[in-house]
Amino acid sequence: MPITNICPKKWPELAFESLKDTLATVQLWTQIVGKIRLIKTPWINHSWHVTLYVSPRGLTTGSIPYVDGNFQIDFDFVAHELLIIASNGKTEKLNLYPRTVASFYAELFKKLDAMGIEAKIYAKPNELDPAIPFAQDEVHKSYDAVQMNLYWQALVNINSVFVKFRSEFTGKCSPVHLFWGAFDLAVTRFSGREAPLHPGGAPNMPDRVMQEAYSHEVSSAGFWGGSEQFPHPAFYAYCYPTPADFGEQVVEPSEAFYSNEMGEFFLLYEVVQRSENPAAKLLQFLRSTYIAAAKTGNWDSHLQCDLTGYEK
């Protein structure tokens, strides 16, 4: 399948300064929803049971088991509402607007109670510092509907390319999913070999969770909205453990660069967005950074699918 058919050539412009306050609030909303999925779902390796997925309207938990069947929680960034649906026919919704995390948290659990869904979560953020309890967070209250819709449109396009990239690998590979801890969309390939014990160290995250997540060798790529320290939406790629010569590898496209401080390759979203063929540009980055990880980490070559017939 030609990569030009993966997603539209026109990708939305994203500006960190316009997005940052909305993303900070929405990330906390997704942490609340993600923790509901976490507590109601059996543990899946590498915390794959906690993530959200890109949907045709926003983000979704997918089906979650509970005593009356299944339920699902969807962020709709078109109609700007949160929808809770259950297999017994019950539904509830919350409106998304500039509202505090405390307000969102209180109304969501009120709606769940009305549907007979019991979920007792650890009600503080993970991987964030400070970790203000959700019920007390009156600080984060931004929601720019236009900016959030643009960000979701970008996620739709990125998700399609990540799924394509995932299809090229025959070994163990994660779903394409959004981790609400760092609010990044990611896909991870595994060599099949165990890895050295991870040191942990993420803020407000038990080391044992990080150690299980990185129990085996990985090559991971993703998309992240940026931070005050790095105010650019960007794609990243890293491996664990990290070979000494990983960062010295030549990767594509030419605009990609390696951060010694972070131990990762980066490619700014704007480079992809402004290119003539964004999907092709992004696939260059995903494929070449994986090759860098596989080459320096001595991964088995049979794990890579034959790309003959694919547009480069």
Side-chain angles (χ1 to χ4, degrees):
M1 181 183 68
I3 55 180
T4 50
N5 292 338
I6 294 174
C7 53
K9 289 186 177 181
K10 181 65 177 177
W11 290 32
E13 293 184 15
L14 300 179
F16 177 75
E17 287 300 318
S18 301
L19 280 165
K20 63 179 183 179
D21 292 337
T22 293
L23 291 185
T25 299
V26 172
Q27 178 180 1
L28 290 163
W29 293 350
T30 63
Q31 290 221 4
I32 296 168
V33 170
K35 285 170 180 279
I36 294 169
R37 184 181 184 216
L38 182 160
I39 205 67
K40 303 296 288 185
T41 307
W43 188 279
I44 300 175
N45 57 183
H46 318 303
S47 298
W48 292 354
H49 64 301
V50 311
T51 57
L52 305 180
Y53 310 99
V54 176
S55 77
R57 303 277 296 190
L59 295 171
T60 181
T61 60
S63 293
I64 302 171
Y66 82 123
V67 68
D68 283 344
N70 281 188
F71 73 99
Q72 179 168 306
I73 305 177
D74 291 343
F75 285 92
D76 184 332
F77 297 130
V78 179
H80 303 291
E81 60 188 21
L82 186 81
L83 183 65
I84 313 167
I85 58 175
S87 56
N88 61 9
K90 294 182 179 180
T91 65
E92 292 282 353
K93 69 178 180 179
L94 292 69
N95 291 323
L96 303 180
Y97 57 89
R99 60 186 304 175
T100 66
V101 171
S103 165
F104 178 92
Y105 174 77
E107 186 176 355
L108 173 54
F109 276 87
K110 182 178 179 180
K111 300 289 188 181
L112 290 173
D113 287 343
M115 296 179 69
I117 300 171
E118 181 181 355
K120 187 175 182 180
I121 68 171
Y122 175 71
K124 292 176 65 177
N126 292 107
E127 298 188 55
L128 295 174
D129 188 23
I132 306 170
F134 300 132
Q136 301 171 22
D137 190 345
E138 304 284 344
V139 176
H140 298 95
K141 54 187 177 183
S142 299
Y143 187 77
D144 185 319
V146 172
Q147 289 298 317
M148 195 61 223
N149 180 269
L150 290 174
Y151 194 77
W152 160 72
Q153 289 180 43
L155 289 179
V156 168
N157 288 335
I158 295 163
N159 184 78
S160 296
V161 179
F162 281 11
V163 169
K164 166 65 176 165
F165 173 67
R166 183 180 188 268
S167 75
E168 298 171 357
F169 192 70
T170 59
K172 176 179 174 179
C173 191
S174 77
V176 177
H177 47 191
L178 186 137
F179 281 98
W180 37 263
F183 207 57
D184 58 328
L185 188 69
V187 60
T188 300
R189 295 175 171 184
F190 292 77
S191 75
R193 299 188 299 249
E194 291 187 359
L197 186 68
H198 194 279
N204 297 301
M205 174 64 74
D207 286 349
R208 60 183 173 82
V209 175
M210 298 292 292
Q211 289 162 354
E212 194 278 332
Y214 291 99
S215 61
H216 290 69
E217 293 179 350
V218 300
S219 172
S220 190
F223 171 72
W224 171 62
S227 67
E228 291 290 356
Q229 294 73 35
F230 189 86
H232 308 278
F235 300 96
Y236 63 81
Y238 67 89
C239 56
Y240 180 79
T242 309
D245 53 348
F246 174 63
E248 299 171 5
Q249 303 304 301
V250 177
V251 302
E252 296 180 313
S254 60
E255 296 92 341
F257 60 93
Y258 187 76
S259 167
N260 287 307
E261 179 182 1
M262 298 294 290
E264 304 179 26
F265 285 100
F266 287 94
L267 177 65
L268 298 186
Y269 171 83
E270 65 182 36
V271 171
V272 173
Q273 185 268 329
R274 294 174 181 176
S275 67
E276 183 176 344
N277 189 333
K281 179 79 77 171
L282 178 52
L283 275 170
Q284 281 186 309
F285 179 73
L286 298 174
R287 290 169 175 166
S288 64
T289 52
Y290 164 71
I291 290 170
K295 175 183 175 182
T296 59
N298 297 311
W299 285 34
D300 289 342
S301 60
H302 78 270
L303 293 174
Q304 180 68 42
C305 287
D306 181 7
L307 299 181
T308 303
Y310 288 99
E311 186 176 337
K312 298 299 183 182

